[in-house]
């Protein structure tokens, strides 16, 4: 039980830190969080907003 809780806390921290970095590049809060979750889970990345990520050099590195 403790391992699962630690795992979810780490995953949520990674999502939030990555979303903050995406917001620093000018993305909307909702779009940045969705794109980070999509990138980490490999789902839903074929959206129109994915072009915002792939066309921006700093966002690609994040």
């Amino acid at each position: 039980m403790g391992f699962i809780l630690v795992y979810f806390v780490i995953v949520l921290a990674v999502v939030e830190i990555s979303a903050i970095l995406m917001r620093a590049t000018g993305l909307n809060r909702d779009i940045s969080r969705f794109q980070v979750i999509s990138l980490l889970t490999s789902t839903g990345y074929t959206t129109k907003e994915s072009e915002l990520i792939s066309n921006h050099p700093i966002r690609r590195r994040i």
Side-chain angles (χ1 to χ4, degrees):
M1 179 71 173
F3 175 74
I4 294 173
L5 182 63
V6 170
Y7 177 76
F8 281 120
V9 168
I10 291 171
V11 169
L12 288 175
V14 168
V15 167
E16 286 304 314
I17 291 169
S18 300
I20 289 169
L21 292 172
M22 289 289 197
R23 281 192 304 228
T25 64
L27 275 180
N28 179 324
R29 182 178 69 92
D30 295 329
I31 292 173
S32 65
R33 185 171 288 148
F34 175 76
Q35 289 301 320
V36 166
I37 293 171
S38 297
L39 286 167
L40 291 175
T41 60
S42 299
T43 59
Y45 190 65
T46 58
T47 61
K48 185 186 284 188
E49 287 93 11
S50 66
E51 293 178 9
L52 295 173
I53 306 299
S54 61
N55 291 335
H56 195 279
I58 296 173
R59 291 178 192 154
R60 274 192 308 229
R61 290 183 190 153
I62 295 173

